[in-house]
Structure formats: structure tokens, C-alpha cells
């Protein structure tokens, strides 16, 4: 059986790729001014990365500008990578409990969290600062350049100790080595990149990654709507995207369960937030799913 806790945000911009990968900054999802850096993120940069306080803002702007050249995603243009969204997920305490080091006498393999579509790996660094061993974490990202920029953002390439995989989640060969080995999948601003059928396909592939045991989890956030619908988004005319409310999100996981022989209990919430950059709380929509 699975349980899911979800919060989707009602927004106007998506993290879908921009057609032709235009790098124009004259688009609604590019924020000229750096917003206030959330306090927890600033502490991470100052205390974990040892960046002098008076250099943090310049450092963040430099990384954002270089990332925009790689690919102009709205999460880059709006500085959303500064949100440590996983730590605001209702499942955060349980995630920390599941990932904590096992006792020396434990015979089972250690727990593993995969951050799928991890961007710069900001949530991975947040987990490490919370005391989770690097060996219990892996990242996965389509754009290898984002992984490298993450090392530069946090200045920890020589010390991080986390393996990052690069590849397409829709490719059977990209993550087959992890099939049946993952305890928790974190997928933030990810599923909404596809229409309904595409989300079912991706979620089915996510289930393959999970261990066949009670208590494995899927957590994240995505764009939602008070009126669920599929639309062709202005930042990606090549395919549609489906925006859920809690009811349709649960229905989708019922379909995933039927295809995978699993049962999911879904808990979802829908939050309305601002349309540009970060909202005032440094939060976006969150959801979490956990089969048992």
C-alpha cells in the first residue's frame, strides 16, 4: 500500500524546456533582481560551503547566469533553486528518520534517497547538513552541466561524496542499476513536465526504482490547478502538461498502482502561491507518496 502527501502550486510558469532553447531574458520567468535569499539557504552557503557573507549574493547570481546559458528553465530564471523545498515537505521528519545511519548490527542494506531531476543538488546538501550520510544519497539530472554548477555553487566537489547519475528517466538504460534499490524518490518540479499519460509512464518507472517493501516513499512538488486540466504550455509547445488537484493526483496514482501491482494511499494539498520567482515563504507546492 502507498501513502502520498501532496501540495501542488497554482502557477503560470512551468519548468518545461523552452522551444528552440531560446536564451532571451525578455521572458516572464526570468527575474532580473536577486530575491531575498531564504535564511536556511544563506546559512547553507555560509556555513556548509564557507562562502563569506559579503560574497554570497554575487556568487549566486554568477551561478544563475551560467546556468541560464546551459538551459533557460523557469526554475533557473526565477531563482527557485534557492528553495530547499524538501525540508518544507510534511514528510521531512520521516525522511530524516528513514535515512539516518542504521545500527551497527543491522543486516539489511542501508536506505537510499534518489533526488530525481536534482538540478544543482541543493536538497541533497540540505540533507547532508541535517546529518544524513552521503552514502545514503544519489542525485540524477538530465543536464550534466547543472551537476557541475552545483559543485561550484556549494564548493564541495572534493568533499561531497554523493554519486550523481546523468540521463533521461524515460530511457530504460539510464537508471536500471538502481531498480529495486531506492527507499525514497524525491522529484520536485518534475512530473508536471508531462501530460497525464506521460506522468503515468514516469511514475511507473519511478516505482521500478523502489524497493519491494513497506514504507518506501515518493515525495516532491509540482505545478497544480484548482481546475485540473491538460494544456499546451507556452514554454514548451512540443507537448502538453497536466496540472492536478489532489483528486486527480490520487486518481493518477491509482492508475500507476494498477500498472505496477502496488497500492498507494495518496495525501495531497493544493496551495496558491505567487507566479514569479519564489513566494514570500520560500515554499512551493509539495507532495509525498509512500507505499506500504
Amino acid at each position: 500500500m502507498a501513502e502520498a502527501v501532496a501540495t501542488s502550486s497554482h502557477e503560470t510558469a512551468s519548468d518545461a524546456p523552452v522551444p528552440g532553447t531560446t536564451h532571451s531574458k525578455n521572458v516572464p520567468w526570468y527575474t532580473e533582481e536577486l530575491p531575498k535569499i531564504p535564511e536556511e539557504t544563506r546559512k547553507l552557503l555560509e556555513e556548509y560551503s564557507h562562502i563569506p557573507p559579503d560574497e554570497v549574493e554575487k556568487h549566486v547570481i554568477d551561478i544563475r547566469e551560467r546556468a541560464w546559458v546551459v538551459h533557460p528553465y523557469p526554475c533557473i530564471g526565477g531563482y527557485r533553486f534557492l528553495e530547499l523545498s524538501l525540508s518544507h515537505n510534511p514528510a521531512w521528519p520521516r525522511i530524516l528518520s528513514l535515512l539516518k545511519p542504521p545500527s551497527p548490527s543491522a543486516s539489511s542494506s542501508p536506505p537510499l534517497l534518489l533526488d530525481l531531476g536534482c538540478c544543482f543538488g541543493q536538497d541533497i546538501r540540505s540533507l547532508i547538513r541535517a546529518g544524513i550520510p552521503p552514502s545514503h544519497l544519489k542525485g540524477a539530472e538530465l543536464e550534466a552541466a547543472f551537476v557541475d554548477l552545483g559543485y561550484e555553487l556549494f564548493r564541495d566537489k572534493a568533499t561531497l561524496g554523493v554519486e550523481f547519475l546523468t540521463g533521461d528517466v524515460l530511457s530504460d538504460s539510464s537508471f536500471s542499476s538502481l531498480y529495486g534499490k531506492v527507499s525514497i524518490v524525491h522529484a520536485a518540479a518534475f512530473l508536471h513536465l508531462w501530460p497525464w499519460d506521460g506522468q503515468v509512464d514516469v511514475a511507473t518507472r519511478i516505482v521500478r526504482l523502489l524497493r519491494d517493501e513497506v514504507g518506501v516513499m515518493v515525495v516532491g512538488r509540482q505545478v497544480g490547478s484548482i481546475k485540473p486540466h491538460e494544456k499546451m504550455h507556452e514554454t514548451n509547445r512540443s507537448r502538453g502538461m497536466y496540472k492536478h488537484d489532489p483528486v486527480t493526483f490520487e486518481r493518477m496514482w491509482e492508475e500507476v498502482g494498477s500498472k505496477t501491482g502496488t497500492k498507494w494511499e495518496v495525501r495531497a494539498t493544493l496551495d496558491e502561491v505567487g507566479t514569479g520567482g519564489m513566494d514570500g515563504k520560500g515554499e512551493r507546492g509539495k507532495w509525498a507518496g509512500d507505499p506500504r
Side-chain angles (χ1 to χ4, degrees):
M1 184 176 181
E3 179 186 4
V5 180
T7 305
S8 296
S9 55
H10 181 197
E11 305 175 81
T12 59
S14 137
D15 283 324
V18 179
T21 59
T22 174
H23 293 81
S24 170
K25 296 178 180 179
N26 187 28
V27 289
W29 54 92
Y30 182 89
T31 302
E32 285 286 349
E33 294 186 9
L34 174 69
K36 181 180 179 181
I37 299 174
E39 188 62 28
E40 62 183 344
T41 308
R42 178 173 282 278
K43 284 185 177 180
L44 189 65
L45 292 168
E46 293 179 8
E47 298 174 8
Y48 168 82
S49 304
H50 305 294
I51 299 172
D54 61 347
E55 296 180 13
V56 168
E57 292 188 1
K58 181 178 181 300
H59 180 64
V60 167
I61 292 170
D62 176 66
I63 294 296
R64 195 280 294 261
E65 291 303 295
R66 292 163 62 193
W68 185 258
V69 174
V70 175
H71 206 297
Y73 288 111
C75 64
I76 302 298
Y79 285 102
R80 295 182 195 171
F81 60 88
L82 293 175
E83 305 168 26
L84 303 178
S85 64
L86 184 56
S87 66
H88 292 279
N89 194 290
W92 176 251
R94 187 173 180 186
I95 291 169
L96 296 182
S97 177
L98 288 172
L99 291 176
K100 67 181 180 181
S103 63
S105 60
S107 58
S108 60
S109 56
L112 178 65
L113 179 143
L114 175 66
D115 192 357
L116 192 57
C118 64
C119 191
F120 300 144
Q122 59 272 15
D123 287 301
I124 285 178
R125 272 73 174 194
S126 179
L127 284 162
I128 289 176
R129 192 165 187 267
I132 303 305
S135 59
H136 292 192
L137 305 169
K138 288 187 186 294
E141 173 55 52
L142 180 64
E143 299 284 354
F146 285 168
V147 175
D148 291 335
L149 285 169
Y151 287 133
E152 293 193 46
L153 177 62
F154 294 102
R155 297 183 176 177
D156 62 357
K157 185 170 185 177
T159 59
L160 180 60
V162 172
E163 180 185 10
F164 288 91
L165 307 175
T166 56
D168 187 346
V169 69
L170 296 177
S171 170
D172 288 331
S173 61
S174 293
F175 306 113
S176 58
S177 63
L178 293 179
Y179 285 173
K181 297 181 180 179
V182 178
S183 309
I184 303 168
V185 170
H186 175 230
F190 187 73
L191 283 177
H192 66 222
L193 298 178
W194 289 273
W196 181 289
D197 289 345
Q199 291 185 31
V200 170
D201 185 16
V202 172
T204 298
R205 293 169 185 269
I206 287 174
V207 172
R208 292 183 196 169
L209 297 168
L210 296 170
R211 297 179 179 182
D212 185 14
E213 62 186 29
V214 173
V216 293
M217 302 178 68
V218 180
V219 300
R221 62 176 183 170
Q222 64 185 51
V223 172
S225 176
I226 57 176
K227 295 181 179 180
H229 62 283
E230 187 166 309
K231 62 172 289 186
M232 197 66 67
H233 203 279
E234 65 268 20
T235 60
N236 184 6
R237 298 290 180 178
S238 65
R239 66 183 177 209
M241 62 180 297
Y242 193 90
K243 295 183 177 182
H244 289 281
D245 71 359
V247 174
T248 62
F249 189 72
E250 181 173 1
R251 190 186 311 149
M252 187 197 77
W253 278 98
E254 288 176 356
E255 186 173 339
V256 172
S258 177
K259 288 179 175 291
T260 58
T262 58
K263 187 175 181 181
W264 295 81
E265 179 188 339
V266 178
R267 293 178 293 155
T269 60
L270 185 67
D271 289 346
E272 186 169 356
V273 300
T275 59
M278 296 181 292
D279 71 0
K281 301 176 183 177
E283 295 185 17
R284 291 278 167 179
K286 304 172 286 292
W287 55 264
D290 138 37
R292 62 182 183 185

